[in-house]
Amino acid sequence: MSVSRFCSCAVLAQAVVGTFTYSSSVWADEELIGDELFGQLPVVVSASRLNQSILNTPSAVTVIDKHMIEASGFTDISDLMRLVPGFNVANINGRVKAVNYHGGGWEYPNGLQVLVNGRSTYLPSLSVVDWNSLGVQLQDIERIEVVRGPSPSAYGSNSFLAAINIITIAPELDARYAVAGRYGSDDGGYMLVRASDNVGVSNYRISASVNKSSGYDGLDDDIDYRTLSFHSRSYLFEQDTLDLSFAVNRGRSDPMPDNLLETRKNRLTSWFGQLQWQRPLSKQGALTFNLYHNVHLEDDAADSNPVGTAAGLSNEVFQSLFGTDNQIIHYGIEANKSVKSDAELQYSWINEQGLQFIAGGAVRYDRLKGSYYAGIEEEHSGISYRAFGNMQSPLGDRLTLNLGALWEKDEGRHDYFSPRASLNWELTKQQSIRLSAARAYRLPSLLERNGDWDVALDNGVVIDKLYRNNPDLRAEKIDNIEVGYLGRSIKYPLSWELKAYHEKRSDSIWYVRDDSVEDFIGDGVKVISNAAKYTASGLEGEVMYRPSQRTFIRGHFNLIDDKSNYTARFNPERVDSYDQLAPRNSFGVLGSKEFGDWQVSLGVYHLAATRWLSRGDKVASHTRVDAAIFRRIPISAKHELKLFVAGQALNGAYHEFRVDQEIEPRYYIGFTLTEF
């Protein structure tokens, strides 16, 4: 089957189904890409699973395409969120990344849905995302669509604050071969080999990579990861599309510090398998089935230092207190195995008048097995069910109504209903105003619901009571309302988007200290509770001038006023009030200019003072300057060599998460050799 036929089938399927959030086939050639980016405003699929002009979406959407990704000079997918209004990115250490939207964050922010080709990647443990084990490379990405606002009717309960949809390049459109390498001042080495080809009615891509880094100065946070991934797409029976994906990621890193475990390594193995099937049922309707299975295994278990020695106790005193000799404990802070399986069936329909809808249902199975703290293995699991629907309906020539809803049931517990509605008014063919409102819930994770851990000696004596679960734990809730204005200039390649918003979060889950519970350590126990609330109001937006793919300047900003209350302690009760859990003001500018075979880019990113909870501090305002230079060298009609040099934080070190942890300047050189 020829590539042109592949592309024709793919574009037809995309037009009929209109909801394939994992398909990049709509960008089937460079001419179509140009029309979308530099002509009309782009069509997006992530806001509601409907193919919609960005003028008609129910939420604000930021699009980051592969040319912007390259120009940014970023080496981590998480860093790309620095290009999105309202997002805050912090390096907790060289391994752990915290990505948060509109504040209220700590080292494990858990209100984001991150998808790769329709596969949810957050972990069942804390509903967090491990950005190191997504199973996708920067070079695989066609574009990223970031839905800025609650979108549970599209992607379920973890789409609490925002949804990030990573869409990879279709295998039939990818380069035939590519070899890439990078070396940096962090002693970081990166190598990637990619190959794409077709066999009969199937096209495929296979990638293998190695990623190493020594992390940040003064921290034991080096990483060493190896990833192998595979993606195939087959066109069957002239109309069906079958996608198969698989990836495995293995490696090690330095884990979070602990007083008893001074030296240890965190060994990581993660893998996933995914099947996606699409069948048009008519010229208007289509059926989609998506099945995936994620496995994430971490093991940092090690022998502790002698407990009595760490506490400054002699063996005699230790024996008199606990009835046993001074001893070591074999345990891990992050040792766990999490499993998530999800099966979803969806029907979509569209007519020539612009009326379209999707409806579907799904079942998800989560399992968590951990040996946290005490070395006692515990296993917890749960099944949840969801039904969802979204509809876009034109109301005359200028108005468009969007309605969406999610019903989700947590096994044996509660039902939750999350609605969303918007009314979009087209001022002109290129400008619109959006008024939308949404309510969303985030279900407690398995760890939040079942956490109950102590540190115990081998004779069963508990020396430190750490966490207690709460049988009455409720889902977190957010109510959001926003007004948006967006459009583009007819005369110039200029587009913009503004959004005013107000959101209220309640029943937020937090860890509350209870001093009435006594143990040897004397620091009480932390009870997992609905103990916080948070409100935020603000204005954010983005603007881009883009005369060509690699020549552009784009800026974004966010102005926010936030307030929160956290119950910090029971018995006696203490409630702490915070502001600046989000930076009061933030902005970013990324500019890129192409000069023949040369390209230069400059990025400036500013955050006002920000307070991080838990292990974090209140860090000062900072501005970061990045830059990169690229040179493309044509070798033949089918081969190209690209060289680059890039620098991050060129204006000096700064603090992102803790005041005793500096993010120092970094420099990289690299190459990519491609056969088209």
Side-chain angles (χ1 to χ4, degrees):
M1 180 178 285
S2 67
V3 173
S4 62
R5 184 184 170 199
F6 268 113
C7 294
S8 299
C9 292
V11 173
L12 175 62
Q14 180 74 17
V16 172
V17 177
T19 58
F20 298 162
T21 60
Y22 42 81
S23 174
S24 60
S25 305
V26 68
W27 308 93
D29 53 48
E30 291 294 318
E31 182 180 356
L32 183 56
I33 293 174
D35 288 344
E36 288 292 335
L37 290 177
F38 318 124
Q40 301 300 314
L41 286 162
V43 172
V44 296
V45 296
S46 301
S48 57
R49 299 195 183 205
L50 303 172
N51 260 357
Q52 295 177 295
S53 164
I54 204 166
L55 294 173
N56 295 323
T57 58
S59 300
V61 181
T62 294
V63 179
I64 304 171
D65 66 65
K66 60 185 178 183
H67 301 292
M68 294 167 57
I69 293 173
E70 180 183 65
S72 72
F74 291 139
T75 58
D76 295 312
I77 294 176
S78 59
D79 276 335
L80 293 171
M81 296 304 106
R82 299 181 192 271
L83 302 174
V84 184
F87 271 76
N88 191 2
V89 180
N91 290 278
I92 309 305
N93 53 40
R95 167 181 169 259
V96 180
K97 318 291 182 181
V99 179
N100 198 34
Y101 183 57
H102 284 176
W106 58 313
E107 60 264 33
Y108 298 116
N110 49 9
L112 296 179
Q113 177 72 277
V114 179
L115 304 109
V116 178
N117 293 337
R119 175 182 62 89
S120 175
T121 63
Y122 73 85
L123 304 178
S125 54
L126 277 174
S127 299
V128 299
V129 176
D130 184 350
W131 294 90
N132 295 301
S133 60
L134 296 180
V136 64
Q137 307 297 320
L138 280 170
Q139 293 85 346
D140 296 335
I141 299 174
E142 180 64 61
R143 67 180 194 169
I144 301 174
E145 296 180 358
V146 183
V147 184
R148 302 183 347 251
S151 49
S153 61
Y155 302 115
S157 69
N158 222 60
S159 310
F160 187 67
L161 302 175
I164 301 168
N165 189 17
I166 300 171
I167 302 171
T168 62
I169 302 170
E172 64 268 28
L173 306 177
D174 211 345
R176 185 171 177 82
Y177 298 106
V179 178
R182 183 183 71 240
Y183 183 76
S185 56
D186 59 345
D187 296 325
Y190 176 80
M191 284 295 298
L192 170 69
V193 179
R194 305 168 72 241
S196 299
D197 205 347
N198 71 291
V199 178
V201 297
S202 302
N203 266 30
Y204 69 87
R205 174 178 60 245
I206 186 168
S207 302
S209 69
V210 177
N211 188 18
K212 295 183 178 181
S213 171
S214 62
Y216 292 95
D217 291 343
L219 293 176
D220 293 325
D221 60 347
D222 65 303
I223 62 170
D224 184 353
Y225 291 132
R226 291 162 172 79
T227 303
L228 177 67
S229 63
F230 173 83
H231 180 196
S232 71
R233 176 170 295 171
S234 304
Y235 294 95
L236 310 173
F237 315 117
E238 300 294 329
Q239 58 178 356
D240 287 22
T241 304
L242 178 67
D243 283 69
L244 299 174
S245 302
F246 171 82
V248 60
N249 182 40
R250 299 193 67 182
R252 63 166 183 80
S253 65
D254 286 321
M256 289 288 194
D258 181 73
N259 292 332
L260 286 178
L261 298 177
E262 291 184 356
T263 303
R264 69 197 197 279
K265 294 293 182 183
N266 189 336
R267 297 164 292 278
L268 169 69
T269 300
S270 65
W271 65 270
F272 77 86
Q274 183 180 18
L275 179 151
Q276 303 161 325
W277 170 70
Q278 312 161 7
R279 164 167 283 190
L281 301 178
S282 66
K283 292 183 177 180
Q284 295 178 310
L287 200 63
T288 306
F289 178 70
N290 188 26
L291 173 69
Y292 64 84
H293 181 71
N294 298 340
V295 177
H296 188 91
L297 175 65
E298 292 187 63
D299 184 9
D300 69 336
D303 289 337
S304 72
N305 295 322
V307 176
T309 304
L313 303 177
S314 66
N315 187 60
E316 292 76 11
V317 173
F318 189 90
Q319 190 174 48
S320 65
L321 288 173
F322 303 111
T324 184
D325 289 334
N326 193 7
Q327 62 186 249
I328 62 175
I329 303 174
H330 187 81
Y331 75 102
I333 293 181
E334 298 170 338
N336 75 94
K337 179 180 181 180
S338 64
V339 176
K340 179 164 64 176
S341 302
D342 192 281
E344 178 184 278
L345 186 65
Q346 173 188 293
Y347 175 74
S348 59
W349 186 89
I350 185 173
N351 68 9
E352 296 178 353
Q353 288 71 45
L355 176 65
Q356 56 177 321
F357 73 85
I358 61 100
V363 58
R364 187 181 80 235
Y365 171 74
D366 293 332
R367 180 164 60 90
L368 175 66
K369 183 177 183 180
S371 55
Y372 299 95
Y373 296 104
I376 302 172
E377 292 196 351
E378 296 181 351
E379 183 170 329
H380 304 282
S381 61
I383 298 177
S384 61
Y385 308 88
R386 65 184 184 273
F388 56 89
N390 289 282
M391 180 192 73
Q392 173 187 290
S393 176
L395 302 178
D397 295 333
R398 295 291 185 93
L399 295 177
T400 299
L401 176 67
N402 281 279
L403 296 175
L406 166 76
W407 170 83
E408 194 161 19
K409 182 175 179 60
D410 199 7
E411 181 185 31
R413 295 179 184 268
H414 304 286
D415 294 14
Y416 295 95
F417 180 74
S418 301
R420 180 176 62 177
S422 79
L423 188 63
N424 300 61
W425 176 32
E426 287 193 15
L427 302 175
T428 69
K429 291 296 183 181
Q430 303 296 331
Q431 300 180 39
S432 72
I433 293 176
R434 176 187 65 253
L435 175 63
S436 66
R439 168 171 289 181
Y441 294 91
R442 186 185 74 81
L443 274 60
S445 69
L446 287 176
L447 199 59
E448 290 168 331
R449 181 171 291 141
N450 299 287
D452 195 353
W453 314 296
D454 297 328
V455 174
L457 303 176
D458 56 6
N459 62 357
V461 174
V462 174
I463 61 173
D464 192 7
K465 299 176 181 179
L466 295 169
Y467 295 97
R468 292 291 180 268
N469 58 27
N470 183 350
D472 299 321
L473 196 65
R474 303 179 298 278
E476 296 182 343
K477 184 174 73 171
I478 183 172
D479 290 304
N480 178 81
I481 186 169
E482 64 181 60
V483 179
Y485 167 58
L486 65 158
R488 68 175 296 274
S489 169
I490 297 176
K491 187 176 181 180
Y492 303 103
L494 179 69
S495 60
W496 62 86
E497 183 255 341
L498 296 172
K499 165 183 153 179
Y501 57 88
H502 176 76
E503 62 186 43
K504 179 181 179 181
R505 308 177 205 171
S506 55
D507 287 337
S508 297
I509 296 173
W510 194 239
Y511 301 82
V512 184
R513 176 174 166 176
D514 188 348
D515 287 333
S516 66
V517 178
E518 297 181 355
D519 60 15
F520 173 75
I521 301 298
D523 59 353
V525 68
K526 291 184 178 179
V527 182
I528 305 171
S529 307
N530 298 104
K533 58 184 180 180
Y534 178 85
T535 60
S537 301
L539 176 70
E540 66 185 32
E542 54 190 347
V543 60
M544 180 159 64
Y545 177 79
R546 192 170 197 177
S548 67
Q549 290 175 340
R550 294 189 174 95
T551 296
F552 61 83
I553 182 168
R554 75 180 300 275
H556 67 271
F557 74 93
N558 181 44
L559 305 173
I560 188 171
D561 181 39
D562 68 297
K563 295 180 180 179
S564 64
N565 289 315
Y566 284 78
T567 301
R569 186 177 62 201
F570 297 139
N571 301 315
E573 183 175 275
R574 192 187 86 201
V575 177
D576 292 339
S577 297
Y578 298 108
D579 57 7
Q580 292 183 290
L581 294 182
R584 289 286 176 86
N585 60 80
S586 60
F587 67 82
V589 178
L590 175 63
S592 174
K593 175 64 176 177
E594 189 174 37
F595 303 91
D597 293 332
W598 291 83
Q599 180 184 355
V600 296
S601 67
L602 179 69
V604 180
Y605 311 99
H606 172 80
L607 291 174
T610 308
R611 184 188 300 274
W612 290 89
L613 299 173
S614 188
R615 289 189 176 102
D617 297 321
K618 184 175 182 180
V619 293
S621 172
H622 64 267
T623 301
R624 163 175 162 168
V625 178
D626 297 355
I629 302 174
F630 306 87
R631 172 73 191 278
R632 291 174 174 82
I633 305 173
I635 298 176
S636 69
K638 292 186 177 181
H639 297 83
E640 178 187 85
L641 175 64
K642 182 183 71 177
L643 306 174
F644 76 90
V645 57
Q648 299 176 353
L650 296 178
N651 56 323
Y654 66 97
H655 303 96
E656 281 186 338
F657 184 71
R658 293 181 58 90
V659 296
D660 59 355
Q661 176 182 323
E662 281 193 333
I663 307 300
E664 65 270 10
R666 289 186 170 185
Y667 307 92
Y668 301 95
I669 57 173
F671 75 94
T672 302
L673 178 63
T674 305
E675 177 182 322
F676 300 102

